[in-house]
Amino acid sequence: MIEQGKGQKRQEIKMLNRKILEITGVMNVESFDNEEFLLETELGFLAIRGQNLHMKHLSLEQGLVAIEGLVHSLAYLDGNTAGKSKGLFGKLFK
């Protein structure tokens, strides 16, 4: 177990059988449709891709999002790459 120091950000991602996904530390839902969710989290932007995705639960006050559907991938969009100056949409639509 990794110790969490004071002021460190924490995020938990729980997935059950690739069909139910619960994520904490969510600050904003940037966009979503039945194939992709783009979430702004405390640890960076998180892209979730899959089929028949839909939001089961959303509480931005608690920082919690629950998504149902068939999950294919989860990927953080790292802002430390050379494409940082392109902005968010530049990274998404390479």
mmCIF file of all heavy atoms in Angstrom, residues 18-61:
data_model
loop_
_atom_site.group_PDB
_atom_site.id
_atom_site.type_symbol
_atom_site.label_atom_id
_atom_site.label_comp_id
_atom_site.label_asym_id
_atom_site.label_seq_id
_atom_site.Cartn_x
_atom_site.Cartn_y
_atom_site.Cartn_z
ATOM 1 N N ARG A 18 -15.331 -5.762 -16.555
ATOM 2 C CA ARG A 18 -15.295 -4.845 -17.706
ATOM 3 C C ARG A 18 -16.657 -4.218 -18.000
ATOM 4 O O ARG A 18 -16.856 -3.618 -19.049
ATOM 5 C CB ARG A 18 -14.798 -5.545 -18.975
ATOM 6 C CG ARG A 18 -13.330 -5.911 -18.910
ATOM 7 C CD ARG A 18 -12.874 -6.562 -20.181
ATOM 8 N NE ARG A 18 -13.051 -5.674 -21.338
ATOM 9 C CZ ARG A 18 -12.833 -6.058 -22.582
ATOM 10 N NH1 ARG A 18 -12.450 -7.288 -22.841
ATOM 11 N NH2 ARG A 18 -13.004 -5.215 -23.571
ATOM 12 N N LYS A 19 -17.612 -4.291 -17.074
ATOM 13 C CA LYS A 19 -18.960 -3.784 -17.330
ATOM 14 C C LYS A 19 -19.383 -2.659 -16.408
ATOM 15 O O LYS A 19 -20.247 -1.876 -16.770
ATOM 16 C CB LYS A 19 -19.970 -4.921 -17.234
ATOM 17 C CG LYS A 19 -19.749 -5.939 -18.332
ATOM 18 C CD LYS A 19 -20.766 -7.017 -18.325
ATOM 19 C CE LYS A 19 -20.436 -7.989 -19.461
ATOM 20 N NZ LYS A 19 -21.363 -9.044 -19.596
ATOM 21 N N ILE A 20 -18.806 -2.564 -15.230
ATOM 22 C CA ILE A 20 -19.132 -1.488 -14.303
ATOM 23 C C ILE A 20 -17.829 -0.845 -13.864
ATOM 24 O O ILE A 20 -16.904 -1.525 -13.429
ATOM 25 C CB ILE A 20 -19.905 -2.012 -13.076
ATOM 26 C CG1 ILE A 20 -21.230 -2.626 -13.519
ATOM 27 C CG2 ILE A 20 -20.149 -0.877 -12.085
ATOM 28 C CD1 ILE A 20 -21.983 -3.302 -12.400
ATOM 29 N N LEU A 21 -17.767 0.479 -13.978
ATOM 30 C CA LEU A 21 -16.556 1.223 -13.670
ATOM 31 C C LEU A 21 -16.924 2.336 -12.697
ATOM 32 O O LEU A 21 -17.839 3.116 -12.965
ATOM 33 C CB LEU A 21 -15.997 1.801 -14.967
ATOM 34 C CG LEU A 21 -14.647 2.470 -14.959
ATOM 35 C CD1 LEU A 21 -13.553 1.495 -14.550
ATOM 36 C CD2 LEU A 21 -14.339 3.044 -16.327
ATOM 37 N N GLU A 22 -16.231 2.395 -11.561
ATOM 38 C CA GLU A 22 -16.427 3.456 -10.582
ATOM 39 C C GLU A 22 -15.110 4.206 -10.426
ATOM 40 O O GLU A 22 -14.072 3.592 -10.194
ATOM 41 C CB GLU A 22 -16.874 2.892 -9.241
ATOM 42 C CG GLU A 22 -18.234 2.257 -9.286
ATOM 43 C CD GLU A 22 -18.661 1.685 -7.947
ATOM 44 O OE1 GLU A 22 -17.870 1.717 -6.979
ATOM 45 O OE2 GLU A 22 -19.794 1.191 -7.873
ATOM 46 N N ILE A 23 -15.176 5.530 -10.534
ATOM 47 C CA ILE A 23 -13.969 6.350 -10.497
ATOM 48 C C ILE A 23 -14.166 7.466 -9.483
ATOM 49 O O ILE A 23 -15.184 8.164 -9.521
ATOM 50 C CB ILE A 23 -13.680 6.954 -11.887
ATOM 51 C CG1 ILE A 23 -13.573 5.847 -12.919
ATOM 52 C CG2 ILE A 23 -12.411 7.800 -11.851
ATOM 53 C CD1 ILE A 23 -13.646 6.331 -14.338
ATOM 54 N N THR A 24 -13.196 7.647 -8.587
ATOM 55 C CA THR A 24 -13.225 8.766 -7.655
ATOM 56 C C THR A 24 -12.194 9.799 -8.096
ATOM 57 O O THR A 24 -11.343 9.521 -8.938
ATOM 58 C CB THR A 24 -12.918 8.313 -6.218
ATOM 59 O OG1 THR A 24 -11.582 7.811 -6.170
ATOM 60 C CG2 THR A 24 -13.894 7.256 -5.742
ATOM 61 N N GLY A 25 -12.256 10.971 -7.516
ATOM 62 C CA GLY A 25 -11.318 12.040 -7.859
ATOM 63 C C GLY A 25 -11.678 12.753 -9.143
ATOM 64 O O GLY A 25 -10.848 13.415 -9.743
ATOM 65 N N VAL A 26 -12.948 12.645 -9.572
ATOM 66 C CA VAL A 26 -13.387 13.284 -10.816
ATOM 67 C C VAL A 26 -13.804 14.726 -10.524
ATOM 68 O O VAL A 26 -14.592 14.985 -9.619
ATOM 69 C CB VAL A 26 -14.564 12.505 -11.451
ATOM 70 C CG1 VAL A 26 -15.077 13.220 -12.686
ATOM 71 C CG2 VAL A 26 -14.127 11.092 -11.782
ATOM 72 N N MET A 27 -13.261 15.662 -11.285
ATOM 73 C CA MET A 27 -13.597 17.072 -11.113
ATOM 74 C C MET A 27 -14.631 17.543 -12.126
ATOM 75 O O MET A 27 -15.420 18.432 -11.827
ATOM 76 C CB MET A 27 -12.325 17.923 -11.227
ATOM 77 C CG MET A 27 -11.307 17.550 -10.175
ATOM 78 S SD MET A 27 -9.780 18.511 -10.118
ATOM 79 C CE MET A 27 -9.495 19.044 -11.768
ATOM 80 N N ASN A 28 -14.623 16.949 -13.335
ATOM 81 C CA ASN A 28 -15.524 17.405 -14.384
ATOM 82 C C ASN A 28 -15.672 16.316 -15.445
ATOM 83 O O ASN A 28 -14.736 15.564 -15.697
ATOM 84 C CB ASN A 28 -14.982 18.683 -15.027
ATOM 85 C CG ASN A 28 -15.999 19.382 -15.883
ATOM 86 O OD1 ASN A 28 -17.202 19.214 -15.720
ATOM 87 N ND2 ASN A 28 -15.536 20.186 -16.824
ATOM 88 N N VAL A 29 -16.839 16.264 -16.068
ATOM 89 C CA VAL A 29 -17.067 15.399 -17.226
ATOM 90 C C VAL A 29 -16.996 16.303 -18.447
ATOM 91 O O VAL A 29 -17.875 17.126 -18.670
ATOM 92 C CB VAL A 29 -18.430 14.683 -17.143
ATOM 93 C CG1 VAL A 29 -18.670 13.841 -18.392
ATOM 94 C CG2 VAL A 29 -18.525 13.824 -15.892
ATOM 95 N N GLU A 30 -15.909 16.189 -19.201
ATOM 96 C CA GLU A 30 -15.702 17.053 -20.368
ATOM 97 C C GLU A 30 -16.644 16.691 -21.512
ATOM 98 O O GLU A 30 -17.225 17.557 -22.141
ATOM 99 C CB GLU A 30 -14.252 16.977 -20.842
ATOM 100 C CG GLU A 30 -13.265 17.589 -19.889
ATOM 101 C CD GLU A 30 -13.394 19.099 -19.793
ATOM 102 O OE1 GLU A 30 -13.675 19.750 -20.810
ATOM 103 O OE2 GLU A 30 -13.215 19.605 -18.682
ATOM 104 N N SER A 31 -16.755 15.401 -21.812
ATOM 105 C CA SER A 31 -17.639 14.949 -22.887
ATOM 106 C C SER A 31 -17.915 13.471 -22.700
ATOM 107 O O SER A 31 -17.164 12.771 -22.026
ATOM 108 C CB SER A 31 -17.014 15.198 -24.262
ATOM 109 O OG SER A 31 -15.868 14.403 -24.432
ATOM 110 N N PHE A 32 -19.015 13.028 -23.297
ATOM 111 C CA PHE A 32 -19.315 11.599 -23.250
ATOM 112 C C PHE A 32 -20.314 11.246 -24.329
ATOM 113 O O PHE A 32 -21.118 12.067 -24.761
ATOM 114 C CB PHE A 32 -19.832 11.163 -21.875
ATOM 115 C CG PHE A 32 -21.175 11.714 -21.500
ATOM 116 C CD1 PHE A 32 -22.329 10.984 -21.732
ATOM 117 C CD2 PHE A 32 -21.280 12.951 -20.899
ATOM 118 C CE1 PHE A 32 -23.570 11.485 -21.388
ATOM 119 C CE2 PHE A 32 -22.514 13.466 -20.544
ATOM 120 C CZ PHE A 32 -23.658 12.726 -20.785
ATOM 121 N N ASP A 33 -20.202 10.012 -24.796
ATOM 122 C CA ASP A 33 -21.205 9.405 -25.671
ATOM 123 C C ASP A 33 -21.157 7.905 -25.403
ATOM 124 O O ASP A 33 -20.534 7.475 -24.434
ATOM 125 C CB ASP A 33 -20.992 9.758 -27.148
ATOM 126 C CG ASP A 33 -19.645 9.322 -27.699
ATOM 127 O OD1 ASP A 33 -19.081 8.320 -27.210
ATOM 128 O OD2 ASP A 33 -19.163 9.970 -28.639
ATOM 129 N N ASN A 34 -21.807 7.121 -26.231
ATOM 130 C CA ASN A 34 -21.884 5.685 -25.938
ATOM 131 C C ASN A 34 -20.586 4.936 -26.240
ATOM 132 O O ASN A 34 -20.485 3.748 -25.943
ATOM 133 C CB ASN A 34 -23.071 5.034 -26.656
ATOM 134 C CG ASN A 34 -22.934 5.085 -28.162
ATOM 135 O OD1 ASN A 34 -22.086 5.795 -28.694
ATOM 136 N ND2 ASN A 34 -23.776 4.343 -28.844
ATOM 137 N N GLU A 35 -19.582 5.618 -26.802
ATOM 138 C CA GLU A 35 -18.302 4.966 -27.095
ATOM 139 C C GLU A 35 -17.114 5.559 -26.344
ATOM 140 O O GLU A 35 -16.064 4.933 -26.281
ATOM 141 C CB GLU A 35 -18.015 5.016 -28.596
ATOM 142 C CG GLU A 35 -18.982 4.173 -29.400
ATOM 143 C CD GLU A 35 -18.664 4.177 -30.886
ATOM 144 O OE1 GLU A 35 -17.827 4.987 -31.330
ATOM 145 O OE2 GLU A 35 -19.251 3.360 -31.599
ATOM 146 N N GLU A 36 -17.246 6.776 -25.787
ATOM 147 C CA GLU A 36 -16.106 7.391 -25.116
ATOM 148 C C GLU A 36 -16.553 8.413 -24.080
ATOM 149 O O GLU A 36 -17.470 9.194 -24.309
ATOM 150 C CB GLU A 36 -15.193 8.082 -26.129
ATOM 151 C CG GLU A 36 -13.967 8.701 -25.491
ATOM 152 C CD GLU A 36 -13.018 9.291 -26.513
ATOM 153 O OE1 GLU A 36 -13.484 9.794 -27.550
ATOM 154 O OE2 GLU A 36 -11.813 9.251 -26.265
ATOM 155 N N PHE A 37 -15.877 8.379 -22.933
ATOM 156 C CA PHE A 37 -16.030 9.382 -21.890
ATOM 157 C C PHE A 37 -14.692 10.081 -21.725
ATOM 158 O O PHE A 37 -13.647 9.431 -21.758
ATOM 159 C CB PHE A 37 -16.392 8.732 -20.551
ATOM 160 C CG PHE A 37 -17.856 8.445 -20.360
ATOM 161 C CD1 PHE A 37 -18.488 7.493 -21.127
ATOM 162 C CD2 PHE A 37 -18.580 9.114 -19.400
ATOM 163 C CE1 PHE A 37 -19.829 7.202 -20.944
ATOM 164 C CE2 PHE A 37 -19.921 8.845 -19.211
ATOM 165 C CZ PHE A 37 -20.553 7.890 -19.983
ATOM 166 N N LEU A 38 -14.720 11.386 -21.536
ATOM 167 C CA LEU A 38 -13.511 12.148 -21.232
ATOM 168 C C LEU A 38 -13.749 12.851 -19.907
ATOM 169 O O LEU A 38 -14.627 13.706 -19.797
ATOM 170 C CB LEU A 38 -13.192 13.153 -22.329
ATOM 171 C CG LEU A 38 -11.941 13.993 -22.104
ATOM 172 C CD1 LEU A 38 -10.706 13.110 -21.981
ATOM 173 C CD2 LEU A 38 -11.761 15.003 -23.221
ATOM 174 N N LEU A 39 -12.983 12.444 -18.896
ATOM 175 C CA LEU A 39 -13.154 12.971 -17.549
ATOM 176 C C LEU A 39 -11.924 13.771 -17.145
ATOM 177 O O LEU A 39 -10.788 13.365 -17.414
ATOM 178 C CB LEU A 39 -13.331 11.829 -16.545
ATOM 179 C CG LEU A 39 -14.394 10.787 -16.856
ATOM 180 C CD1 LEU A 39 -14.357 9.687 -15.807
ATOM 181 C CD2 LEU A 39 -15.761 11.415 -16.936
ATOM 182 N N GLU A 40 -12.148 14.897 -16.479
ATOM 183 C CA GLU A 40 -11.053 15.633 -15.863
ATOM 184 C C GLU A 40 -10.969 15.165 -14.420
ATOM 185 O O GLU A 40 -11.925 15.304 -13.658
ATOM 186 C CB GLU A 40 -11.296 17.128 -15.919
ATOM 187 C CG GLU A 40 -10.175 17.932 -15.314
ATOM 188 C CD GLU A 40 -10.432 19.426 -15.321
ATOM 189 O OE1 GLU A 40 -11.509 19.861 -15.763
ATOM 190 O OE2 GLU A 40 -9.541 20.155 -14.858
ATOM 191 N N THR A 41 -9.847 14.561 -14.063
ATOM 192 C CA THR A 41 -9.675 14.041 -12.710
ATOM 193 C C THR A 41 -8.559 14.817 -12.016
ATOM 194 O O THR A 41 -7.845 15.608 -12.646
ATOM 195 C CB THR A 41 -9.320 12.539 -12.717
ATOM 196 O OG1 THR A 41 -7.967 12.370 -13.122
ATOM 197 C CG2 THR A 41 -10.258 11.758 -13.620
ATOM 198 N N GLU A 42 -8.405 14.561 -10.732
ATOM 199 C CA GLU A 42 -7.342 15.216 -9.969
ATOM 200 C C GLU A 42 -5.957 14.816 -10.465
ATOM 201 O O GLU A 42 -4.984 15.518 -10.232
ATOM 202 C CB GLU A 42 -7.482 14.865 -8.489
ATOM 203 C CG GLU A 42 -8.727 15.457 -7.876
ATOM 204 C CD GLU A 42 -8.881 15.117 -6.404
ATOM 205 O OE1 GLU A 42 -8.036 14.374 -5.856
ATOM 206 O OE2 GLU A 42 -9.855 15.585 -5.811
ATOM 207 N N LEU A 43 -5.855 13.698 -11.172
ATOM 208 C CA LEU A 43 -4.568 13.216 -11.665
ATOM 209 C C LEU A 43 -4.393 13.406 -13.165
ATOM 210 O O LEU A 43 -3.466 12.856 -13.750
ATOM 211 C CB LEU A 43 -4.396 11.741 -11.296
ATOM 212 C CG LEU A 43 -4.407 11.446 -9.794
ATOM 213 C CD1 LEU A 43 -4.274 9.953 -9.540
ATOM 214 C CD2 LEU A 43 -3.317 12.213 -9.074
ATOM 215 N N GLY A 44 -5.294 14.153 -13.806
ATOM 216 C CA GLY A 44 -5.193 14.414 -15.242
ATOM 217 C C GLY A 44 -6.447 13.976 -15.974
ATOM 218 O O GLY A 44 -7.395 13.459 -15.378
ATOM 219 N N PHE A 45 -6.451 14.206 -17.269
ATOM 220 C CA PHE A 45 -7.591 13.810 -18.094
ATOM 221 C C PHE A 45 -7.562 12.302 -18.328
ATOM 222 O O PHE A 45 -6.515 11.729 -18.605
ATOM 223 C CB PHE A 45 -7.573 14.545 -19.438
ATOM 224 C CG PHE A 45 -8.011 15.976 -19.311
ATOM 225 C CD1 PHE A 45 -7.079 16.982 -19.126
ATOM 226 C CD2 PHE A 45 -9.352 16.310 -19.351
ATOM 227 C CE1 PHE A 45 -7.475 18.296 -18.996
ATOM 228 C CE2 PHE A 45 -9.766 17.619 -19.226
ATOM 229 C CZ PHE A 45 -8.816 18.619 -19.043
ATOM 230 N N LEU A 46 -8.737 11.674 -18.205
ATOM 231 C CA LEU A 46 -8.866 10.232 -18.352
ATOM 232 C C LEU A 46 -9.874 9.936 -19.450
ATOM 233 O O LEU A 46 -11.011 10.412 -19.397
ATOM 234 C CB LEU A 46 -9.332 9.610 -17.031
ATOM 235 C CG LEU A 46 -9.604 8.116 -17.011
ATOM 236 C CD1 LEU A 46 -8.335 7.318 -17.321
ATOM 237 C CD2 LEU A 46 -10.168 7.705 -15.661
ATOM 238 N N ALA A 47 -9.447 9.192 -20.470
ATOM 239 C CA ALA A 47 -10.326 8.781 -21.566
ATOM 240 C C ALA A 47 -10.723 7.326 -21.345
ATOM 241 O O ALA A 47 -9.861 6.472 -21.123
ATOM 242 C CB ALA A 47 -9.620 8.943 -22.910
ATOM 243 N N ILE A 48 -12.023 7.077 -21.401
ATOM 244 C CA ILE A 48 -12.563 5.721 -21.260
ATOM 245 C C ILE A 48 -13.256 5.388 -22.563
ATOM 246 O O ILE A 48 -14.138 6.122 -23.007
ATOM 247 C CB ILE A 48 -13.554 5.643 -20.089
ATOM 248 C CG1 ILE A 48 -12.831 6.011 -18.793
ATOM 249 C CG2 ILE A 48 -14.174 4.265 -19.994
ATOM 250 C CD1 ILE A 48 -13.679 6.748 -17.838
ATOM 251 N N ARG A 49 -12.849 4.282 -23.179
ATOM 252 C CA ARG A 49 -13.441 3.884 -24.459
ATOM 253 C C ARG A 49 -14.100 2.526 -24.313
ATOM 254 O O ARG A 49 -13.646 1.674 -23.550
ATOM 255 C CB ARG A 49 -12.360 3.838 -25.527
ATOM 256 C CG ARG A 49 -11.827 5.220 -25.836
ATOM 257 C CD ARG A 49 -10.771 5.215 -26.924
ATOM 258 N NE ARG A 49 -10.290 6.561 -27.158
ATOM 259 C CZ ARG A 49 -9.247 7.105 -26.532
ATOM 260 N NH1 ARG A 49 -8.586 6.421 -25.641
ATOM 261 N NH2 ARG A 49 -8.875 8.328 -26.800
ATOM 262 N N GLY A 50 -15.193 2.326 -25.075
ATOM 263 C CA GLY A 50 -15.893 1.059 -25.010
ATOM 264 C C GLY A 50 -17.123 1.058 -25.888
ATOM 265 O O GLY A 50 -17.212 1.819 -26.854
ATOM 266 N N GLN A 51 -18.079 0.193 -25.551
ATOM 267 C CA GLN A 51 -19.335 0.068 -26.298
ATOM 268 C C GLN A 51 -20.504 0.203 -25.328
ATOM 269 O O GLN A 51 -20.438 -0.290 -24.200
ATOM 270 C CB GLN A 51 -19.437 -1.299 -26.965
ATOM 271 C CG GLN A 51 -18.474 -1.512 -28.095
ATOM 272 C CD GLN A 51 -18.623 -2.930 -28.649
ATOM 273 O OE1 GLN A 51 -18.595 -3.895 -27.920
ATOM 274 N NE2 GLN A 51 -18.782 -3.014 -29.955
ATOM 275 N N ASN A 52 -21.563 0.837 -25.801
ATOM 276 C CA ASN A 52 -22.792 1.005 -25.020
ATOM 277 C C ASN A 52 -22.522 1.592 -23.638
ATOM 278 O O ASN A 52 -23.120 1.179 -22.647
ATOM 279 C CB ASN A 52 -23.546 -0.323 -24.890
ATOM 280 C CG ASN A 52 -23.912 -0.893 -26.232
ATOM 281 O OD1 ASN A 52 -24.333 -0.167 -27.130
ATOM 282 N ND2 ASN A 52 -23.731 -2.186 -26.397
ATOM 283 N N LEU A 53 -21.620 2.572 -23.575
ATOM 284 C CA LEU A 53 -21.300 3.217 -22.310
ATOM 285 C C LEU A 53 -22.391 4.204 -21.936
ATOM 286 O O LEU A 53 -22.905 4.933 -22.779
ATOM 287 C CB LEU A 53 -19.960 3.958 -22.410
ATOM 288 C CG LEU A 53 -18.730 3.121 -22.745
ATOM 289 C CD1 LEU A 53 -17.520 4.019 -22.889
ATOM 290 C CD2 LEU A 53 -18.499 2.054 -21.701
ATOM 291 N N HIS A 54 -22.746 4.205 -20.670
ATOM 292 C CA HIS A 54 -23.676 5.206 -20.163
ATOM 293 C C HIS A 54 -23.363 5.469 -18.692
ATOM 294 O O HIS A 54 -22.786 4.638 -18.000
ATOM 295 C CB HIS A 54 -25.136 4.803 -20.360
ATOM 296 C CG HIS A 54 -25.524 3.545 -19.661
ATOM 297 N ND1 HIS A 54 -25.295 2.295 -20.195
ATOM 298 C CD2 HIS A 54 -26.103 3.332 -18.460
ATOM 299 C CE1 HIS A 54 -25.727 1.372 -19.355
ATOM 300 N NE2 HIS A 54 -26.216 1.969 -18.293
ATOM 301 N N MET A 55 -23.721 6.667 -18.250
ATOM 302 C CA MET A 55 -23.441 7.086 -16.900
ATOM 303 C C MET A 55 -24.499 6.517 -15.960
ATOM 304 O O MET A 55 -25.689 6.748 -16.139
ATOM 305 C CB MET A 55 -23.422 8.613 -16.825
ATOM 306 C CG MET A 55 -22.703 9.130 -15.628
ATOM 307 S SD MET A 55 -22.488 10.916 -15.639
ATOM 308 C CE MET A 55 -21.869 11.259 -17.261
ATOM 309 N N LYS A 56 -24.044 5.765 -14.993
ATOM 310 C CA LYS A 56 -24.944 5.183 -13.998
ATOM 311 C C LYS A 56 -25.130 6.138 -12.826
ATOM 312 O O LYS A 56 -26.212 6.259 -12.277
ATOM 313 C CB LYS A 56 -24.374 3.852 -13.524
ATOM 314 C CG LYS A 56 -25.194 3.165 -12.474
ATOM 315 C CD LYS A 56 -24.549 1.868 -12.061
ATOM 316 C CE LYS A 56 -25.332 1.226 -10.926
ATOM 317 N NZ LYS A 56 -24.673 0.020 -10.451
ATOM 318 N N HIS A 57 -24.043 6.816 -12.438
ATOM 319 C CA HIS A 57 -24.091 7.718 -11.291
ATOM 320 C C HIS A 57 -23.081 8.840 -11.501
ATOM 321 O O HIS A 57 -21.984 8.604 -11.996
ATOM 322 C CB HIS A 57 -23.755 6.947 -10.004
ATOM 323 C CG HIS A 57 -23.766 7.789 -8.782
ATOM 324 N ND1 HIS A 57 -24.919 8.181 -8.171
ATOM 325 C CD2 HIS A 57 -22.754 8.330 -8.060
ATOM 326 C CE1 HIS A 57 -24.630 8.918 -7.106
ATOM 327 N NE2 HIS A 57 -23.315 9.023 -7.026
ATOM 328 N N LEU A 58 -23.469 10.062 -11.113
ATOM 329 C CA LEU A 58 -22.563 11.206 -11.196
ATOM 330 C C LEU A 58 -22.764 12.075 -9.969
ATOM 331 O O LEU A 58 -23.890 12.481 -9.672
ATOM 332 C CB LEU A 58 -22.832 12.025 -12.459
ATOM 333 C CG LEU A 58 -22.094 13.363 -12.567
ATOM 334 C CD1 LEU A 58 -20.596 13.149 -12.655
ATOM 335 C CD2 LEU A 58 -22.588 14.154 -13.762
ATOM 336 N N SER A 59 -21.679 12.346 -9.257
ATOM 337 C CA SER A 59 -21.691 13.279 -8.134
ATOM 338 C C SER A 59 -20.367 14.033 -8.154
ATOM 339 O O SER A 59 -19.359 13.537 -7.649
ATOM 340 C CB SER A 59 -21.881 12.553 -6.801
ATOM 341 O OG SER A 59 -21.755 13.486 -5.749
ATOM 342 N N LEU A 60 -20.370 15.213 -8.748
ATOM 343 C CA LEU A 60 -19.144 15.997 -8.799
ATOM 344 C C LEU A 60 -18.792 16.546 -7.424
ATOM 345 O O LEU A 60 -17.624 16.812 -7.149
ATOM 346 C CB LEU A 60 -19.272 17.129 -9.824
ATOM 347 C CG LEU A 60 -19.362 16.671 -11.281
ATOM 348 C CD1 LEU A 60 -19.531 17.859 -12.203
ATOM 349 C CD2 LEU A 60 -18.153 15.849 -11.688
ATOM 350 N N GLU A 61 -19.790 16.720 -6.547
ATOM 351 C CA GLU A 61 -19.512 17.159 -5.183
ATOM 352 C C GLU A 61 -18.645 16.133 -4.461
ATOM 353 O O GLU A 61 -17.745 16.477 -3.711
ATOM 354 C CB GLU A 61 -20.814 17.381 -4.398
ATOM 355 C CG GLU A 61 -21.664 18.526 -4.897
ATOM 356 C CD GLU A 61 -22.523 18.148 -6.104
ATOM 357 O OE1 GLU A 61 -22.827 16.947 -6.291
ATOM 358 O OE2 GLU A 61 -22.876 19.058 -6.872
#
